[in-house]
Amino acid sequence: MKSSKRLPKITFDTIRYLILFGLLGGLFIHSFWKYGIMNQVIGFLLPKASAQVPFVSSSNGLIPDWSKMKFQDMIVSESGHVTYPTVRGNQTRIWQAGQSIGDFMELGDFEDANLNIEKLNLRAISQALAIDLDGLKLDDFGVIKTQTLSDLVKAIPELANQSASSVAPIADFFRQMGISTNQIIGNVANYYNLDNIPLGNEIDLSKYKLTSIPGIENSSFDEFANWQDTLISDIPGLKDLSWNNFPSVPEPDLSFVGQVDLPLGDIEANRIRSISGSYQEGFNVPCNQNNCAHFEASGLGKTTGAQWISGKVQKVKGGYGVLKVVNGGQEPTGRHPFGKSFKQVVWDIDESSGSVNTAMFFRICKTIFFVRTCTPYFIGPVPFINYHEKDPIIFGSPSSVPD
């Protein structure tokens, strides 16, 4: 009969330690989930809008310094894409994290934003940035690529009375069409059936100077057909033009202002005094979930204790028309103190330093089959203003606060 052997004492100690560590591990995992530590870790791993735009401080709130804001500097932290129907078939726009919004957003995306970018012309941009228009080619001006002869005459009326022989790209276009170059441009536009033939389909626009079409630099972008479909990056200098050079800059809505009082992290849950939301759901959307990171505001009347919820943790309905289904029909909760050009969203909250980082989110807008439509504000985050406790902040309208 074999004698039984006793296990070494170290084995029993190890077992006891394993049991202890198991219990502690279970408690940690429970706390990890229940008290939002997991959300904090996930938030740490996600891209942070940690930089900020230059701003001007006032008693009403921090206002972006529009003279230092450019499309080129607005860098998104998340990739995405949108596909939508057009009269020329489906179009897809794709963007990557780290890319400027000027590389993939179009003039028409800002048509409702009251920036009036479409009222700019090449002369104004070239003067602001000291661009030599003679050094550019016709195909550098993206809006020109889809213009027909009639479109050009409407956009640049002085062309109508000129002979085609004096305008090199149009003369070559006439030759391609078998039309005499001695004719007056306006007459050909009126009496020849050329309305479905863009110049760019028949001649190589890269062969001609931009200024080879006289007066092109003086016409505002909205004088050209289909100007809304032109990428910002396809307008020479527009990506680098500071917003204070736009015909209009976003006017802060000072109807509702307050202070950043108390930044609170992920442990907060079920907040009902919200002043954040969307155009579609209103701006008092409660946060009925376990994770409601936010900051509490202070100010007049019921403003004190009101909550602006982080868009990183709460999504709301957004968009309208056929494009409202993009991104599942959702956008980060937030507000619009600076108008429709972008949405201001509370993003990262740091209780220890008392700081609140906000971000800009943008949307795509199109007129599809004669109906205006926009996606939710989901393109971002683009770093915006960082606030600290007791900083004044502009909320904009509406000024309603839940009881």
Side-chain angles (χ1 to χ4, degrees):
M1 183 173 178
K2 293 183 179 178
S3 61
S4 60
K5 294 184 178 179
R6 296 178 60 190
L7 293 173
K9 184 175 183 300
I10 186 66
T11 302
F12 292 111
D13 290 340
T14 302
I15 292 173
R16 285 200 298 270
Y17 284 129
L18 288 173
I19 293 171
L20 176 62
F21 289 142
L23 290 171
L24 292 175
L27 288 171
F28 176 75
I29 291 171
H30 175 71
S31 300
F32 201 67
W33 176 264
K34 181 176 180 180
Y35 297 107
I37 301 173
M38 178 181 290
N39 291 320
Q40 294 179 29
V41 173
I42 292 173
F44 176 78
L45 295 174
L46 289 173
K48 292 183 179 295
S50 57
Q52 70 171 338
V53 301
F55 62 84
V56 177
S57 182
S58 75
S59 58
N60 290 315
L62 309 182
I63 300 172
D65 184 348
W66 306 117
S67 70
K68 296 177 182 176
M69 286 189 65
K70 306 171 184 177
F71 287 122
Q72 176 63 33
D73 297 333
M74 298 176 185
I75 308 299
V76 297
S77 299
E78 297 176 0
S79 304
H81 70 276
V82 174
T83 299
Y84 45 84
T86 72
V87 294
R88 296 183 295 275
N90 285 347
Q91 179 180 345
T92 298
R93 270 195 262 174
I94 302 171
W95 58 94
Q96 303 294 332
Q99 193 172 14
S100 159
I101 68 167
D103 291 332
F104 60 86
M105 296 199 73
E106 298 176 349
L107 294 180
D109 297 328
F110 296 93
E111 188 174 1
D112 306 325
N114 297 322
L115 299 177
N116 291 316
I117 303 172
E118 65 275 12
K119 299 299 181 183
L120 286 167
N121 60 34
L122 290 175
R123 178 177 295 279
I125 296 176
S126 67
Q127 289 176 343
L129 300 178
I131 296 174
D132 179 13
L133 294 179
D134 286 328
L136 299 176
K137 300 296 184 182
L138 258 183
D139 69 339
D140 290 327
F141 186 31
V143 75
I144 209 71
K145 297 175 182 178
T146 59
Q147 303 300 301
T148 66
L149 184 66
S150 296
D151 293 335
L152 274 184
V153 171
K154 290 176 184 175
I156 313 169
E158 56 264 43
L159 278 180
N161 297 320
Q162 297 189 43
S163 170
S165 61
S166 66
V167 184
I170 294 181
D172 288 346
F173 175 73
F174 278 18
R175 292 187 186 98
Q176 287 292 106
M177 296 292 100
I179 301 171
S180 170
T181 60
N182 293 325
Q183 297 201 58
I184 300 300
I185 294 173
N187 292 340
V188 173
N190 288 332
Y191 299 113
Y192 284 72
N193 185 18
L194 303 172
D195 287 347
N196 295 319
I197 307 175
L199 271 68
N201 287 6
E202 302 297 328
I203 60 174
D204 182 359
L205 299 176
S206 66
K207 291 172 52 179
Y208 309 95
K209 284 186 176 183
L210 175 62
T211 51
S212 63
I213 298 181
I216 194 172
E217 71 277 12
N218 297 320
S219 295
S220 61
F221 304 142
D222 63 350
E223 296 291 338
F224 295 91
N226 304 312
W227 61 269
Q228 298 95 332
D229 301 331
T230 304
L231 288 170
I232 290 170
S233 58
D234 280 347
I235 302 292
L238 185 55
K239 281 206 311 183
D240 298 309
L241 189 69
S242 55
W243 282 29
N244 66 310
N245 286 296
F246 293 170
S248 302
V249 296
E251 287 291 337
D253 181 349
L254 301 179
S255 62
F256 183 22
V257 298
Q259 281 188 331
V260 175
D261 188 35
L262 184 62
L264 294 167
D266 298 344
I267 195 171
E268 299 294 320
N270 300 317
R271 304 291 92 181
I272 60 173
R273 298 197 65 225
S274 164
I275 55 170
S276 52
S278 67
Y279 285 129
Q280 283 66 35
E281 284 200 60
F283 294 93
N284 300 125
V285 180
C287 181
N288 298 316
Q289 58 191 47
N290 290 331
N291 183 350
C292 293
H294 66 279
F295 76 81
E296 287 191 359
S298 62
L300 297 176
K302 295 191 296 182
T303 302
T304 296
Q307 302 138 4
W308 186 334
I309 311 297
S310 166
K312 181 179 276 190
V313 301
Q314 186 187 24
K315 302 297 184 286
V316 291
K317 293 179 182 177
Y320 63 91
V322 298
L323 291 180
K324 71 179 181 181
V325 300
V326 171
N327 199 48
Q330 293 194 316
E331 65 188 45
T333 191
R335 293 187 67 91
H336 291 270
F338 302 102
K340 294 182 178 180
S341 55
F342 61 89
K343 184 175 190 177
Q344 185 175 10
V345 173
V346 169
W347 202 240
D348 291 309
I349 292 177
D350 188 339
E351 290 186 45
S352 61
S353 63
S355 64
V356 175
N357 293 350
T358 67
M360 294 183 282
F361 279 80
F362 296 86
R363 65 181 180 178
I364 286 173
C365 294
K366 302 293 291 185
T367 298
I368 298 176
F369 303 121
F370 308 106
V371 178
R372 187 70 173 165
T373 176
C374 291
T375 70
Y377 287 92
F378 79 106
I379 300 172
V382 173
F384 196 49
I385 297 174
N386 296 351
Y387 299 86
H388 293 84
E389 290 178 351
K390 308 309 176 187
D391 275 345
I393 185 169
I394 301 169
F395 299 131
S397 61
S399 58
S400 57
V401 180
D403 292 326

